[in-house]
Amino acid sequence: MTTANSLRISELAVCLSLFEVGSTTLFLMGGEAKQDAWLAMLAGALAGLLLLLIHLGIHHQEPDWICFCCFVVIWVKSWEPYLT
């Protein structure tokens, strides 16, 4: 585990690759939109902002959890009423 002030090269590489993959889908949406491509980019940016805010909210409530652990706990809590 890294400290709050350090970033490993592997973490930086993963972040950059995820950014590139996310940008690619926006360019595909924008290419089909023609003159209204800015709407596709705005929709993608707003969706990304929403996901970021959700992630930061979860991390603020449970800072010691790993991302996958958060996913499992939230998934089980949200689907538990339907599974029983």
Side-chain angles (χ1 to χ4, degrees), residues 9-62:
I9 297 297
S10 60
E11 293 172 339
L12 181 62
V14 168
C15 287
L16 288 174
S17 359
L18 289 175
F19 174 76
E20 290 298 324
V21 169
S23 298
T24 303
T25 57
L26 288 178
F27 289 127
L28 289 174
M29 288 172 45
E32 295 173 3
K34 305 284 186 220
Q35 71 270 14
D36 294 329
W38 66 274
L39 288 173
M41 298 301 271
L42 180 64
L46 290 176
L49 180 63
L50 177 67
L51 289 175
L52 175 66
L53 291 175
I54 290 171
H55 177 73
L56 289 175
I58 291 170
H59 181 69
H60 181 71
Q61 289 179 354
E62 300 293 341

Side-chain angles (χ1 to χ4, degrees), residues 43-82:
L46 290 176
L49 180 63
L50 177 67
L51 289 175
L52 175 66
L53 291 175
I54 290 171
H55 177 73
L56 289 175
I58 291 170
H59 181 69
H60 181 71
Q61 289 179 354
E62 300 293 341
D64 296 331
W65 282 8
I66 299 172
C67 186
F68 182 74
C69 180
C70 293
F71 173 75
V72 170
V73 169
I74 291 170
W75 183 262
V76 169
K77 282 184 180 179
S78 62
W79 285 96
E80 189 176 25
Y82 304 110

